[in-house]
Amino acid sequence: MAEVSQESKKVLDVQEIRNEFPVLNQDVNGKPLAYFDNAATTQKPLQVIQALEDYYKGYNANIHRGIHTLAEKATKAFEETREVLHQFLNSKEKEEIIFTKGTTDSINLVASSFGRRFINEGDEIIVSGLEHHSNIVPWQIVAEERKAIIKVIPVLDNGELDYESFEKLISNKTKMVAVNHASNSLGTVNDLPRIIKAAHQVGAKVLVDGAQATAHIELDVQALDCDFYAISAHKFYGPTGAGALYGKRELLEEMPPYQSGGEMIKDVSFSGTTFNDIPYKFEAGTPNIADIVALKEAVHFVNRIGKQTIAAHELKLLKYAAESMSSIKDLKLIGTASDKVSVQSFVIEGVHHFDIGQMLDARGVAVRTGHHCTQPLMERFGIEGTVRASFAVYNTVEEIDRMIEGLERIVKFMK
Amino acid sequence: MADSIKDIQDQIIQEFSILDGDMEMTNFYIMELGQKLTPMKEEDKTDDNIVKGCQSKVWLTAWLDDNKVFFGADSNTAITKGLVSLLTRIFSGQTPDDIINAELYFPQEIGMDRFIGTQRSNGFGAMIKQMKLYALALKSKIEA
């Protein structure tokens, strides 16, 4: 996790924040809910829920084509989110923000469209060993279609990427480097400046899977100089099924449409079709209007608290959890990189992760278990899966204590 | 003579009622039952004996002894091992027909859906189906 300056930290009233999340105020299996599955999806604050309700109750209409008042209102709200994301990611222009269903959809868009335009036989695509399946499989499909080759950046024992190996992998044949900003399984924050610089030196482009970074790390796509950046609203307090792709204008303009129909056309005749300008060229069909409108409120929520304040709180929780877990017999932390978002994976020798997950659930503690859609990474560590606790701005030290107490009981029973 | 499938189900319901719906205690109890399961022979833990449809790995074998069906089982997770132990307790020593025709009401009575969730419920259903298929196959062996 990035260093947080003392000056930038605001005092965080976690209880006040928790009051904005109605779902947190409930008992699960007779115990107060402690929700630690935030890397899978975060809970939603009232202002996001309210935005969805306001849209459907007040101005549900299709966008961009309608001349009537509701259509105008819906279009305005939809495009306001583009403006907000443009500022949130600091893209050069708002047209560089394309709405998608989320990170996976964004990666598929780039893999398919960039792949068709720029990847040819014998070219190389580099992914990292830390990737989620959704940043592996689309590239495998493209590689097969275009007769390209996939190369993988190895992962070190602490969960960091082996940058020296990466720098040996990269060559003039490399056309794309697809890496996550932060690992969903281990929390590792990757050294994007180093990766991007090396990629650009050989003329390769870089796509960043930002799913796990958006809620935790200050983003500036211009400063990063990445070529594409993919995000999902539901990973940073927004609705599911809505997200965005940032892409540099010059690339997006050269890329062919990914899907066809609706908004992406300029003129259609049976003799031929001309395509719309970006971003609309990549926004075929009726989008997920309500959720994209509500996405804006997720950005406002994060901005209101401040990423640095969020990160400072989460870093405290992560350190506390890692230290507390270290005292549990036979528990092994998986992923101990020096720079991490608030994700802690672990295994307990001799106890299956499913059993740990179910036993914690019995105490109202929600964690993730399994391979977290990163099977190659699990294979790298010689394990089937982990238990993953991932923290958000609304989590507390007391909740972590309840998890630790549950883990201690499991170990006591099973050993 | 072995207790009937109904009798054993009623015993299980009675045992679980003592736990009074406490999720954690119920899970510990299920795991304890798994620990008591007769160890399965390592050579029986083959891919062919894995029950399809379970999230955890579950191995299941069946054989005949005096025209009664007996089951061997194991799992890589403690809770699933406990769940399959309940089924072997109910079905082992019964006739193929009794197994094929058995209606299992104990999962509903003990509120199993609530404490094992949808994924494991589906796996549990797959185990029952597999045991009935074994009984059917062994029945044809008797009749052959």
Side-chain angles (χ1 to χ4, degrees), chain A residues 138-178:
Chain A
W139 300 110
Q140 287 175 327
I141 292 170
V142 168
E144 196 176 328
E145 279 176 12
R146 310 294 300 174
K147 298 188 172 64
I149 297 149
I150 304 259
K151 295 203 162 174
V152 183
I153 311 170
V155 177
L156 301 172
D157 288 345
N158 67 353
E160 289 178 7
L161 289 179
D162 179 348
Y163 294 102
E164 284 177 18
S165 295
F166 164 65
E167 280 152 2
K168 284 177 195 153
L169 282 180
I170 201 149
S171 74
N172 290 333
K173 290 181 183 172
T174 313
K175 288 292 175 292
M176 171 60 76
V177 179

Side-chain angles (χ1 to χ4, degrees), chain A residues 278-332:
Chain A
I278 64 163
Y280 307 114
K281 182 171 78 173
F282 293 107
E283 292 180 358
T286 299
N288 186 359
I289 306 166
D291 293 285
I292 286 170
V293 167
L295 187 169
K296 175 175 57 195
E297 296 304 324
V299 174
H300 290 332
F301 171 79
V302 169
N303 286 343
R304 173 160 55 85
I305 301 170
K307 282 257 184 88
Q308 293 199 340
T309 307
I310 293 173
H313 175 67
E314 291 174 344
L315 178 61
K316 185 179 83 174
L317 296 176
L318 180 70
K319 279 187 169 171
Y320 184 78
E323 280 167 18
S324 307
M325 283 179 199
S326 299
S327 64
I328 294 173
K329 191 171 173 274
D330 295 331
L331 187 148
K332 187 181 171 199

Side-chain angles (χ1 to χ4, degrees), chain B residues 116-134:
Chain B
I116 70 169
T118 319
Q119 301 261 25
R120 275 197 159 126
S121 287
N122 292 340
F124 192 66
M127 290 180 224
I128 297 169
K129 192 175 162 193
Q130 185 60 41
M131 290 172 112
K132 290 196 172 208
L133 284 171
Y134 272 132

